[in-house]
Amino acid sequence: MEIYNTLSKKVENFKALKEGLVTMYTCGPTVYNYVHIGNLRTFIFYDMVKRAFKFNDYKVKHVMNITDVDDKTIKGAIESRVSLKEYTELYTKYFMEDLEKLNVDMDIKFTKATDNIDEMQKIIAKLLKEGYAYEAEDGIYFSVSKFKDYGKLSGMKVNGDYSRIKTDEYDKDNAADFALWKYWDTNDGKVHWEGKLKKGRPGWHIECSAMSMKYLGKTIDIHCGAVDLIFPHHENEIAQSESYSKQKFVDYWLHGEHLLVNNQKMSKSLNNFYTLRDLEKQGFNPLSFRLMVIDSHYRNKLDFNFENLRKYEKLLGKIDLSIKALNKTKKYDEKEDSYSRIQTKQKVDNELQAFKEAVNNDLNTHEALQHFLSLLDLADEKTEKGKIDNKEFSALSNAISKMNGFLGVYIDYEIPQEMIALAEEREKKRKDKDFVAADLLRQRISENGYFIADLPNTFVITKKYLD
Ligand code: AMP
Ligand code: ZN
């Protein structure tokens, strides 16, 4: 597999630390509000990275943190007059629901920052002892000038003239000594820990270093985030982790580009964001957003608008219909290898091969999707003929499932018995040429959120999509 590494700024051939296994850490959400679809673009990107390795038969150990203590969560909890735990658990729940709706592979070890405070303290204490960190009146800081490789990821230089910074997110143009541990003050309310260190709480950057090393080891294969995390977050993670472990922290750094609105980054602070719930309220299926994301390359910016999303909603409907129709098409056995059978098998092999090459070419999901759609076109041709040879069907159907195992854009679902009964009744009316009654039944099915399509000898029901 070839993958772009932010550390070397090159597309590299991927080599795992341990054959057949990928250790992967992805920076998770700060659970102080609903995540927006910009954040979700990044979480879909993580999912595609993991699925790409699974597609190549790697086992993947994937850890994602839940940042449930930082400047923003504490502020939110205090303003809402609930405990930090209550506050963050609510948004964690919503976050998980969003991931499920987007068909994210949940084979993830989630871990909360507040469950790993001891580990963070242990690292900070050692950094203090070895002189990489120092104590100031309001906390413990990492001294960036002590780490000679500072800047190796982002290109940021330490010029000796740097300040000290307590907030987690800071000026993108300057290196600064950053807080590892913040001593308690009244702004933090009831949030504080003691133990190895004086009463206080961790800075954001140390959280990821501690969880990555604790659950995956001191050196791991892959660490992912969106591009805004390169500096300072990831640069700081490298500095503190490598100073602590004296080992390389991460082999491959992968960063996804932003989701934009009118050419500006979608963000809470600009108030130009939508949540997945906003899209659902307008009638969109969440998977249409997934489809939109994977149709663009993760290293390109993606401008969001509803007109474009509508295109993907339509495409989603087409995918659903093609797959269901293929499954419902009458099967028969050709006695021997016919021209059609040979042709189908060849086409399936070619498309699968091209699909795999696209996946392995730095996650070219756009191109992979085209090969998937090309097989669906072939499925449509067969469906229109009204019958398909069993061997051709299995070849097609297996390849479609395999591709979907990577893309994750089709999820099977049950059609309620009641809808099937209505559809059968409609079919009867049609045969009796009672078209008025048939149309009324179609309308009833539609009012219930389903869609009925006619095939040569039968019909197929799918969910209804926006058109
Ligand atoms: P946060 O909850 O703010 O820590 O963000 C969670 C993840 O979403 C981080 O990796 C952010 O960099 C990423 N992110 C934030 N805004 C966007 C955006 N507009 N497009 C893509 N990713 C984003
Ligand atoms: Zn992180």
Side-chain angles (χ1 to χ4, degrees), residues 237-248:
E237 280 190 44
I238 293 176
Q240 59 204 3
S241 306
E242 297 190 356
S243 301
Y244 169 78
S245 73
K246 318 283 188 281
Q247 270 173 236
K248 191 175 182 191

Side-chain angles (χ1 to χ4, degrees), residues 85-327:
K85 188 169 152 59
E86 253 181 288
Y87 184 75
T88 54
E89 278 181 354
L90 179 69
Y91 291 110
T92 304
K93 179 177 150 273
Y94 292 140
F95 172 64
M96 297 294 170
E97 286 172 8
D98 284 356
L99 296 189
E100 305 248 3
K101 284 178 187 167
L102 290 167
N103 199 23
V104 165
D105 175 353
M106 295 302 264
D107 176 17
I108 303 173
K109 156 92 188 148
F110 290 100
T111 180
K112 297 197 280 188
T114 54
D115 284 339
N116 295 283
I117 302 285
D118 286 352
E119 195 67 21
M120 296 170 204
Q121 292 198 344
K122 187 179 92 189
I123 297 168
I124 297 167
K126 186 171 175 216
L127 291 174
L128 256 179
K129 195 166 142 236
E130 296 187 354
Y132 292 102
Y134 60 91
E135 195 179 3
E137 64 288 349
D138 58 355
I140 300 169
Y141 287 81
F142 186 89
S143 174
V144 291
S145 61
K146 294 278 163 56
F147 181 63
K148 66 177 185 356
D149 282 343
Y150 197 87
K152 71 176 171 181
L153 182 72
S154 62
M156 200 62 66
K157 296 265 184 303
V158 179
N159 55 19
D161 174 26
Y162 49 83
S163 50
R164 185 156 71 219
I165 194 123
K166 194 179 182 189
T167 49
D168 288 328
E169 283 163 275
Y170 56 87
D171 189 346
K172 306 279 175 196
D173 300 324
N174 285 302
D177 288 354
F178 57 91
L180 295 165
W181 189 256
K182 307 182 187 193
Y183 291 152
W184 181 83
D185 65 35
T186 48
N187 290 332
D188 287 354
K190 290 185 181 145
V191 180
H192 52 76
W193 287 266
E194 264 162 303
K196 272 195 166 67
L197 308 174
K198 243 164 72 182
K199 181 169 163 181
R201 58 158 172 119
W204 170 41
H205 313 296
I206 194 71
E207 297 183 1
C208 286
S209 287
M211 291 183 267
S212 178
M213 290 194 280
K214 176 173 168 186
Y215 294 102
L216 294 170
K218 287 183 177 143
T219 307
I220 66 166
D221 293 301
I222 291 180
H223 193 122
C224 302
V227 285
D228 59 314
L229 297 189
I230 298 173
F231 183 83
H233 187 51
H234 289 162
E235 194 69 62
N236 291 350
E237 280 190 44
I238 293 176
Q240 59 204 3
S241 306
E242 297 190 356
S243 301
Y244 169 78
S245 73
K246 318 283 188 281
Q247 270 173 236
K248 191 175 182 191
F249 180 44
V250 172
D251 275 345
Y252 300 85
W253 285 91
L254 272 47
H255 293 97
E257 255 300 348
H258 285 146
L259 186 72
L260 312 181
V261 186
N262 295 325
N263 282 315
Q264 272 189 311
K265 179 188 170 193
M266 181 177 285
S267 72
K268 298 248 167 66
S269 54
L270 292 172
N271 202 23
N272 62 351
F273 66 91
Y274 301 102
T275 63
L276 198 59
R277 276 145 229 268
D278 293 331
L279 308 194
E280 285 180 293
K281 267 186 224 143
Q282 298 203 29
F284 288 97
N285 184 310
L287 290 181
S288 64
F289 180 66
R290 180 181 177 96
L291 203 49
M292 180 183 211
V293 168
I294 64 183
D295 196 25
S296 75
H297 193 261
Y298 74 94
R299 286 198 285 126
N300 290 339
K301 295 182 171 67
L302 170 60
D303 202 38
F304 177 83
N305 63 64
F306 282 100
E307 209 178 308
N308 207 10
L309 187 63
R310 233 164 223 280
K311 220 177 74 192
Y312 290 102
E313 172 86 8
K314 265 195 187 154
L315 183 59
L316 190 67
K318 185 207 173 293
I319 293 171
D320 191 2
L321 184 60
S322 296
I323 293 177
K324 288 210 168 46
L326 177 69
N327 290 338

Side-chain angles (χ1 to χ4, degrees), residues 333-354 374-375 378-379 381-382 388-400 403:
D333 281 309
E334 197 82 61
K335 283 197 192 59
E336 53 199 57
D337 270 4
S338 62
Y339 179 63
S340 158
R341 193 189 271 173
I342 294 165
Q343 256 201 334
T344 298
K345 280 191 168 165
Q346 202 148 48
K347 165 99 175 157
V348 165
D349 286 348
N350 290 345
E351 293 294 351
L352 253 182
Q353 184 56 31
S374 163
L375 282 192
L378 180 61
E381 273 175 41
K382 303 290 167 191
I388 180 168
D389 164 50
N390 259 316
K391 287 223 165 74
E392 287 183 54
F393 171 74
S394 356
L396 250 176
S397 166
N398 290 341
I400 289 169
M403 290 179 177

Side-chain angles (χ1 to χ4, degrees), residues 27-30 36 38-39 41-43 46 72 225-226 228-229 257-259 265-266:
C27 285
T30 306
H36 58 65
N39 303 129
R41 178 188 188 191
T42 295
F43 296 110
Y46 299 165
K72 290 185 280 196
D228 59 314
L229 297 189
E257 255 300 348
H258 285 146
L259 186 72
K265 179 188 170 193
M266 181 177 285

